[in-house]
Amino acid sequence: MVMKHYPPEFRAEAVALYRSRPGATIKSVAQDLGVNHETLRNWIRLDDAQRTGPQVTTSATGAAPPSPENENAALRRRVRELEEERDILRKAARYFGGRDALVNRFQFVADHQRHHGVKRLCQVIGIARSSYYHWKVTASDRAARVADDARLAARIRVIHRESAGTYGVPRITAELHDTGHRVNHKRVARVMRQVGLAGLRLRRRHRTTVADPTAVKVPDLLGRDFTAETPNTRYVGDITYLPIADHTFLYLATVMDLCSRRLVGWAVADHMRTELVLDALHAAERTRGSLAGAIFHSDHGAQYGAKSFADACRAAGVTRSMGAVGSSADNAAAESLNASFKRETLQGAQSWGSAREARLAVFGWAHRYNTRRRHSYLGQMSPIDYENSLLPTPATLAHAA
């Protein structure tokens, strides 16, 4: 952004810079200074007017004012200093793009000291001369460490290659120790980062669906048809894990109506026992008042195959349905709901900061999802608005009567 207010010192130096460059145009000087050329032209006119005005021969103290020659000489010196500073900073710019900015500044001073001098360079780029001289004195020690790191990197590459690229810092450190190389694991990690080596890290998939082989088989009543003509007739449920920053997990069980996509029941716990899905089912029952005659579809997780869950469904008048074992497509609607929840609450983060934060995220998102979030399946209506749109209007009721 162009500076709108310029202090008097800046104006005076700008005018002096223009006057010190015979043949230079106002526009070219203004571009160098980053000001509007008309602004600089006005400053020059004002300076010309002041030069032709009445001259004061003595100051308030009685001393004669400095002569114009002395003033011009001082201004010229200041202009030369500013031009030199600009030249130094332009040269230094390419040194500051590396990873270790301080070392790069030291190297810049070493490379340009003959032309500008150590004192001037350190002053312009903002480092202490004592720090630079210490860096220069210890150059041989650094070179020795670099050479030692290079030898260590060569040995690490051999071990890493022999392990088919699977060894990481702990195993490579142990291998080095066994071959007589006493080296700290932190140094091994640093050298591996520098040369771009890493061990094979398999991402552990956190399973929430563990089938119970002893459970009574339940038929698939949906056949991947995740639609319903009216609310409170077809539901899907699922469990998903909620990662916490301290490497623990919470678990979320959901119950969604396939007609309106409304999240009618959910439960969060630090376990995946059957009580989790029972709590979600009971929450749905409280929301609807009754689930009698509805179908509840789930995967083959042990929680949904448990006898206590079957008994709860029977007591609520709910008929159970299950997809094939190991087929996520057979419960795609429920899994899509959980994926939307994580995507919209985590927003790219790997975990929630705490268990309380995760619980609040579930609470806030579930209510917003039901009442405000527009759903493409519902013609960009929220689930509750869609359900309300299905209610008979007074005119419809009068016509039916």
Side-chain angles (χ1 to χ4, degrees):
M1 181 180 293
V2 178
M3 185 168 61
K4 299 300 183 182
H5 174 72
Y6 301 91
E9 295 83 2
F10 181 90
R11 298 181 186 184
E13 290 178 352
V15 173
L17 179 61
Y18 167 75
R19 298 191 188 282
S20 69
R21 293 181 176 179
T25 65
I26 293 177
K27 186 174 182 179
S28 64
V29 175
Q31 287 176 341
D32 288 346
L33 296 174
V35 302
N36 185 278
H37 67 277
E38 288 298 329
T39 300
L40 178 58
R41 190 186 306 277
N42 291 334
W43 293 346
I44 294 172
R45 289 173 180 169
L46 181 61
D47 183 72
D48 289 338
Q50 291 175 344
R51 285 172 179 269
T52 58
Q55 302 295 316
V56 178
T57 57
T58 59
S59 65
T61 61
S67 65
E69 293 79 9
N70 291 338
E71 287 184 338
N72 289 338
L75 287 174
R76 284 193 293 270
R77 285 195 300 272
R78 180 57 181 158
V79 168
R80 286 194 298 270
E81 290 175 357
L82 290 173
E83 289 179 336
E84 181 188 37
E85 183 174 327
R86 183 185 62 182
D87 184 47
I88 290 172
L89 291 174
R90 283 178 175 175
K91 293 176 181 177
R94 59 176 171 266
Y95 283 76
F96 298 162
R99 186 181 60 181
D100 195 333
L102 183 59
V103 170
N104 292 340
R105 289 170 188 247
F106 291 152
Q107 189 62 54
F108 170 75
V109 174
D111 293 345
H112 296 84
Q113 60 175 328
R114 289 191 177 184
H115 183 67
H116 297 284
V118 172
K119 180 178 179 180
R120 180 62 172 153
L121 290 170
C122 291
Q123 181 185 38
V124 171
I125 66 176
I127 61 174
R129 276 186 291 167
S130 59
S131 299
Y132 165 72
Y133 286 123
H134 175 76
W135 174 84
K136 192 171 182 180
V137 168
T138 57
S140 60
D141 294 337
R142 288 196 306 277
R145 285 197 295 271
V146 169
D148 195 24
D149 282 349
R151 289 189 292 269
L152 178 60
R155 180 58 186 150
I156 289 175
R157 283 193 179 96
V158 172
I159 298 173
H160 191 261
R161 185 170 58 251
E162 291 175 348
S163 70
T166 61
Y167 275 13
V169 172
R171 288 191 173 94
I172 287 181
T173 303
E175 186 74 17
L176 289 168
H177 287 179
D178 289 345
T179 56
H181 294 78
R182 307 303 299 179
V183 59
N184 187 278
H185 72 279
K186 293 182 179 179
R187 185 182 173 201
V188 173
R190 175 176 59 80
V191 172
M192 289 183 68
R193 284 195 303 270
Q194 290 174 349
V195 299
L197 294 180
L200 178 64
R201 181 175 297 177
L202 298 177
R203 177 169 295 187
R204 181 170 64 97
R205 297 190 64 183
H206 198 84
R207 295 182 62 194
T208 55
T209 302
V210 180
D212 183 358
T214 65
V216 177
K217 300 303 179 183
V218 176
D220 184 354
L221 302 179
L222 298 188
R224 299 186 183 180
D225 177 15
F226 302 112
T227 62
E229 293 296 326
T230 57
N232 200 22
T233 56
R234 284 180 156 194
Y235 293 95
V236 291
D238 194 21
I239 302 174
T240 189
Y241 70 95
L242 312 180
I244 311 301
D246 61 1
H247 305 296
T248 59
F249 295 92
L250 293 182
Y251 300 91
L252 168 66
T254 55
V255 179
M256 183 180 73
D257 191 310
L258 284 178
C259 175
S260 63
R261 271 17 186 204
R262 181 177 177 179
L263 183 57
V264 296
W266 71 87
V268 179
D270 59 357
H271 61 81
M272 287 198 302
R273 296 190 295 271
T274 307
E275 291 83 1
L276 176 65
V277 295
L278 284 172
D279 289 343
L281 181 68
H282 294 326
E285 196 171 12
R286 289 193 297 271
T287 299
R288 290 306 193 192
S290 173
L291 299 177
I295 293 173
F296 182 88
H297 182 83
S298 68
D299 56 30
H300 273 270
Q303 301 87 348
Y304 295 111
K307 182 179 182 301
S308 57
F309 185 77
D311 293 341
C313 288
R314 191 178 304 109
V318 171
T319 302
R320 289 190 299 156
S321 169
M322 287 186 178
V325 176
S327 175
S328 59
D330 284 355
N331 201 25
E335 295 197 6
S336 177
L337 173 75
N338 291 335
S340 296
F341 161 68
K342 289 184 178 179
R343 182 175 62 252
E344 295 176 14
T345 54
L346 285 174
Q347 296 186 358
Q350 297 299 313
S351 62
W352 284 275
S354 65
R356 173 177 170 77
E357 184 179 330
R359 289 178 183 273
L360 290 176
V362 173
F363 176 81
W365 185 86
H367 286 282
R368 182 182 180 278
Y369 170 86
N370 282 334
T371 60
R372 297 182 56 193
R373 182 185 179 277
R374 296 181 184 274
H375 204 300
S376 59
Y377 177 80
L378 306 176
Q380 302 302 336
M381 297 176 67
S382 72
I384 287 182
D385 285 343
Y386 182 78
E387 285 190 357
N388 291 337
S389 72
L390 299 178
L391 296 175
T393 63
T396 302
L397 291 174
H399 178 75

